[in-house]
């Protein structure tokens, strides 16, 4: 049951180790009739790709998506869509020195206990390289959502101590992709970039927050009780490497408001039910209410550092883990398309589930 | 697929409307040989029960658990365990005035859109009454965890602006249950109680944060990629009514640390692998590492207020929702056993899943 | 994961031991807006009920269905439907003598190995009493199918050596229920009844075959590859106690035809695609083609005999299992509503799944 | 949810169209520590391969398995195992003439209704070519079963009217693979071969029966109620293309025995619980009892014929489907490894599930 499958109707199954032959994904349950080709998938993969700018890891991977099945004459068949991304720049020798070491705050130790064997090269399957398969699947899910007029906008809203102030989330996709940090506030983005560059020089790393905003989700998506839209989004986002927190709507800050301040009052606008405020974040009782859905995801600083760190090896001996190999001082810019992808997967799944609610 | 099932191997299916005949749960996949009786379940149900103290809702429900199946001579059979809780104090007439109204920040509107029909009495299935079934199931999961020596400690760490400062989470269950707020800091608890009492008088409501700490989880639980322990815990907690945020380990605050400050250094202690710090919150790469697992859950202020609020009805007419019926000014004290239950369900499930990882 | 859940979208979870407090079922995923009440469920339960005629087991159970949740003002809410059937005539003392014995061809031994504990009273959960919960759930599924104009007709087509000859399956429900054997061929039914009566006198048991015919299933239900309609029906039927065989369409006999004899030729009739013959049994490539779906299920002779049989006990000692307690010399008449129920559950599930095939 | 996933813990997800770029499978949930390499997979693939003998389809496919992930230094990692088989001899132009025709007893019509689009080349995903992915996955499952000392023996027991008489199933794998028909009775195999050759000359097709025998399955596998071992095997086998019937143990013939003849009497042999007869087919109450598990699968004659057949096209026009392309006059010899694969998948899954039954 080792956890690499996701979704209930729009189901994905990802595979691949960081330095194996390939990574990829099989999507089972995508409806037929969706426009799809490799360019559509490549667009998002390029946004996640290593080496795309000077502030991310310099591993050279083209991350070229190949559709192996499920598409015929430019449209989905309703059959499984397999997408393959071959690994190219797998410098496995870079990792010999850590074959038996447990890198601090990495998954080396936990995988060793769990499976009794691990592919130590680049972290094997615990590597964030695995998320390329999610992004590929997410690109397909976005095509499903396009039929509902839904677009997902994720962006970097904070890095370390630098945050967008009074964020009203009225940014455009162009503003997000206008800089290599993917923070739509251009002035702040420059400061963030400088901080990342300095952090790389220091051999250190930093974390931050990605904010996501989705408009046009119709009311009625999300299932009661356990499969609430908020809960499924939470699981999806928290399953991304390095994610340690998730809040939707008013989140933790909302715990300091009174009910009389926090309640979202219903009213009619252009013949449609809306709420005057939106502390609920577009989800009430676990079900979308037609308002903007928004949430935040916290990403811890990357565990890989370009400096010596004490640790132990598989035999319990004290060792020094030295900082070699390639290094991503801040994953936030690349986390943006991953958050979008996981969001799209949840929404596409719930779009289909919602069709079964009424007779 | 309407969302009332949870778990992969230790699976539960809950049922029941707030003012229907009964609520309950069926657990399919509990191993045989677990000690179980109605008293064990009742213990946790009593901690969640309405009317247990002057600061919670005064609905009078005994919440008496009846085990219908799956237990024989005091032990689980390995067959489904059905637990029934009959509804008693269902004053349905209290709700006639809101039969067609959409209460602000409640699920009336979203359920109406989703299903085209709803049991408006007390919120029907969207009522937090449903969580009694979770608590009953959680009590069984706790019995599974007892075989591993695992105890779960949840408590109220903040209400509105009142927070435990420098919380080191070294509290006992007795300290938590020593007061009706379930905040282990006795002095702070008194302030919280006063605030809740005042809020009730104002007809208003307040939210807060529940912190959870679990020791003795062995390393190796949690599946890679999507079914990370952190992600499954997140989904479980975020599925609780009124929960809007979840963070594990360093959470959102961790985004302001550098990697060199945040990394948890491995070392040996008494022949066991431990980490010097625990910003990871006991989960690395989605898998438990044997350290304390801890996380926080944010609960928004209750939507039900004892005051007039503007809204609309099913036909789009403007109406005034008046504050009648019973009222829980702050759900936090009763959220504690619910958070524990959801945590236990996730851990019991992963305890069983982990048995299938190696040949 | 102990196997008491069934279905993908229209999901059921059954519970209960033969001599415990109650048996029942929770249905999660039934769409809202379905007409439902206890009478509808009772109708099918009465057809499965013990003691309904002189040829079935004389256990006295009213099998009174109680709907606990999920229905409001006569219609389903879209929330879980819990149905409870209390056990009444549980003469547990009848079973003390077999508490440690393994009855031949019963599940006593296998359950003992599997769970290390078992409720030996009346076979506990391995008892066919469990199927009452399936019948209750099936009655709900039939209400879903009624929206599509689908009716399921099952009947006894053979008992021991007595078979309907040249069965063209053009019987009515009235013909089936016109006699206590539920064989629509009245003359043959009388012979079957005589054989069952004689077999009871002999303390022996006999098996037979149930045939099922379903018209009006629209083309397009059933998923490719693994979740073929034929495969899901097969699993459903083979999961019924005592069922040892399943064949759809031409089945085993079809292996003696040539392709040129067996192929079903497509043609148009009244503007609809039909096939001239129907060796496919209404399912092609695992998907319904709009023609009659028909299949057969083989039920072995009941394992309980009213005669002495050699066996062993839990300690490996040789014992004599004596024939006491109540006895069903032939399960076929009561198997009819059970087969119908499992068929309805599969079809209702696929009716909903099919809504997600195209964008 | 389009049906290409199978299994609960040992889960597979297959993909690929007959004339697309590739077919393959991702296995999620295979335990770590299993010996695995491409040769092991290739062995079974070669037994299923087209063109392997003069009596099967002459499509030229090497069916070369490539392991893309999940294996490191010859052992499984516990991570998803992706296996790729590229398509080579895809003569798509062979199929232009049937692009809009519905071939008799093929899945063209049902897929067209279901998805509104189809890859008509060689049947697309409805082609039996899909089963190569099952065989590859089954080879991995067999490696899991090898740890339990379990081997699966499937063989052709009848073709058209030619059947092994008084089959006691005491054949060896060598006897099965000693001839191209895979019938272990050498004399009968020759007659079968002659019949297949003649049938090919006639442009016609024939069906038959595959029998399977498995020894050494420990008592206790299979879950009660719905996920009975017999039910899961039934679903697995019935999901294979052209399979129309399944019977386990005494099957349909057992319905003509009395309980006193059919009951399997328990006794002790070499300190182990055994039964004197084995009409149960090694499964009682859905759970293995340690005796030989055996079952039969009925395969209808292949739908593709090398002769003209009347039919209709997508617009309802009458057409003549002419017999072109490659042709498998009898799928039975190639069905043998497919039945083994599906059997292995079910058993490997239940081997893991059984670990969760007791605390």
């Amino acid at each position: 049951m080792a956890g690499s499958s996701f979704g209930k109707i729009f189901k994905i199954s990802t595979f691949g180790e960081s330095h194996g032959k390939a990574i990829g994904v099989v999507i089972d349950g995508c409806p037929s009739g969706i426009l799809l080709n490799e360019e559509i998938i490549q667009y998002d993969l390029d946004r996640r790709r290593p080496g795309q700018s000077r502030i991310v890891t310099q591993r050279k991977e083209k991350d070229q998506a190949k559709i192996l099945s499920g598409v015929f004459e430019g449209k989905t068949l309703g059959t499984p869509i397999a997408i393959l991304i071959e690994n190219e720049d797998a410098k496995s020798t870079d990792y010999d020195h850590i074959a038996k070491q447990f890198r601090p705050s990495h998954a080396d130790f936990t995988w060793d206990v769990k499976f009794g064997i691990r592919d130590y090269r680049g972290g094997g399957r615990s590597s964030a390289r695995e998320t390329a398969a999610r992004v590929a699947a997410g690109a397909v899910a976005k095509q499903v959502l396009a039929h509902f007029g839904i677009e997902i906008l994720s962006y970097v809203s904070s890095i370390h101590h630098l945050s967008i102030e009074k964020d009203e989330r009225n940014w455009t996709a162009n503003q997000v992709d206008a800089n290599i940090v993917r923070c739509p506030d251009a002035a702040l983005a420059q400061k963030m970039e400088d901080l990342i560059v300095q952090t790389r020089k220091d051999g250190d790393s930093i974390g931050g927050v990605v904010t996501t905003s989705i408009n046009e989700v119709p009311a009625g998506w999300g299932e009661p009780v356990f499969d609430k839209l908020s809960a499924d989004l939470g699981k999806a986002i928290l399953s991304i490497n390095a994610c340690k927190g998730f809040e939707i709507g008013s989140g933790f800050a909302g715990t300091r408001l009174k009910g009389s301040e926090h309640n979202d009052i219903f009213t009619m606008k252009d013949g449609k039910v809306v709420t005057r405020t939106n502390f609920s974040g577009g989800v009430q009782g676990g079900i979308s209410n037609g308002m903007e859905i928004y949430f935040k995801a916290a990403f811890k600083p990357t565990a890989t550092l370009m400096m010596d760190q004490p640790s132990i090896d598989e035999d319990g001996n004290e060792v020094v883990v030295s900082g070699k190999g390639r290094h991503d001082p801040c994953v936030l810019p690349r986390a943006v398309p991953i958050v979008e992808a996981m969001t799209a997967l949840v929404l596409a799944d719930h779009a289909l589930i919602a069709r079964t609610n009424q007779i």
Side-chain angles (χ1 to χ4, degrees), chain A:
Chain A
M1 188 171 272
S4 289
S5 306
F6 187 80
K8 297 175 203 84
I9 289 185
F10 190 100
K11 290 188 292 187
I12 70 167
S13 199
T14 67
F15 62 88
E17 275 71 45
S18 179
H19 289 60
K21 288 193 187 150
I23 61 170
V25 64
V26 177
I27 305 167
D28 190 18
C30 180
S32 64
I34 309 272
L35 291 171
L36 191 66
N37 56 49
E38 291 171 351
E39 288 67 42
I40 288 169
I41 296 167
Q42 199 61 45
Y43 176 78
D44 270 337
L45 275 177
D46 286 347
R47 296 175 74 220
R48 197 215 70 98
R49 198 162 50 83
Q52 65 182 269
S53 77
R54 63 190 186 112
I55 58 169
V56 304
T57 178
Q58 295 306 303
R59 177 168 172 166
K60 292 279 187 297
E61 288 286 357
K62 270 189 265 167
D63 278 1
Q64 202 78 39
K66 208 153 78 179
I67 298 175
L68 299 180
S69 65
V71 178
F72 186 61
E73 298 176 348
K75 287 201 170 175
T76 58
L77 284 164
T79 62
I81 302 165
I83 304 170
L84 191 74
I85 303 165
E86 290 181 49
N87 290 330
E88 298 174 352
D89 184 27
K91 297 191 187 170
S92 303
T93 48
D94 279 6
Y95 296 93
D96 281 354
H97 64 293
I98 54 148
K100 287 177 170 301
Q101 295 184 347
F102 297 145
R103 289 168 299 162
S105 284
H106 273 278
D108 303 334
F109 167 64
T110 53
W111 280 58
D112 200 67
V113 172
K114 186 171 196 68
F115 293 116
I117 177 177
R118 65 193 162 96
D119 179 353
Y120 54 82
R121 301 167 303 165
R125 183 142 179 80
S126 74
S127 163
R129 176 144 188 76
E130 165 269 320
T131 57
R134 304 187 188 208
V135 169
V140 181
K142 285 182 180 179
Q143 290 296 96
V144 173
L145 297 175
H147 280 262
F148 296 88
I150 297 171
E151 280 184 47
I152 298 166
L153 184 76
S154 297
Y155 56 90
V156 174
S157 55
S158 88
I159 284 184
H160 199 256
H161 64 286
L162 300 167
S163 288
I164 300 180
E165 280 181 60
K166 297 195 183 164
D167 189 0
E168 294 185 343
R169 300 181 306 279
N170 43 5
W171 309 103
T172 65
N174 283 344
Q175 286 174 305
V176 174
D177 281 328
N179 61 71
I180 58 177
V181 179
R182 292 207 173 87
C183 171
D185 178 332
L188 185 65
Q190 186 57 53
K191 289 185 196 164
M192 289 173 168
E193 185 181 331
D194 294 344
L195 181 60
I196 296 171
V197 168
Q198 183 57 48
T199 303
R200 175 192 291 282
K201 280 184 192 150
D202 298 341
D204 214 331
S205 69
I206 41 178
V209 174
V210 170
T211 294
T212 298
S213 165
I214 316 134
N215 284 290
E216 305 303 334
V217 173
W221 290 11
E223 301 295 299
V225 187
F226 300 112
D227 297 342
K228 290 183 162 83
L229 197 54
S230 38
D232 278 356
L233 285 168
K235 163 156 179 163
I237 301 304
L238 286 158
S239 77
I240 301 173
N241 305 39
C243 184
K244 303 299 268 189
F246 172 87
E247 57 178 14
I248 186 161
S250 62
F252 281 90
T255 68
R256 292 173 176 253
L257 294 176
K258 297 202 167 178
S260 55
E261 300 163 316
H262 191 275
N263 274 3
D264 296 319
I265 303 302
F266 287 109
T267 187
M268 299 298 296
K269 190 179 168 186
D270 306 331
K272 204 189 144 196
V273 176
V274 297
T275 60
R276 291 187 200 165
T277 52
N278 184 14
F279 290 107
S280 301
V283 179
Q284 293 180 321
I287 302 165
S288 60
N289 68 356
M291 300 297 291
E292 180 208 11
I293 295 175
Y294 64 95
F295 55 82
K296 289 185 179 180
F299 290 89
K300 69 176 177 104
T302 330
T304 302
L305 305 180
M306 289 300 104
M307 54 177 75
D308 285 357
Q309 296 177 89
S311 192
I312 56 170
D313 66 14
E314 290 178 12
D315 304 317
N317 302 314
E318 295 197 357
V319 295
V320 171
V321 174
S322 58
K324 287 191 198 169
R326 286 150 307 197
H327 169 231
D328 215 343
C330 180
V331 295
L332 273 290
R334 294 175 63 211
V336 166
I338 304 169
V339 169
E340 285 181 15
M342 292 309 300
T343 304
L345 289 167
V346 170
L347 290 175
D349 203 19
H350 276 285
L352 297 172
I353 293 171
R355 291 183 177 178
T356 68
N357 289 138
Q358 300 191 20
I359 192 67

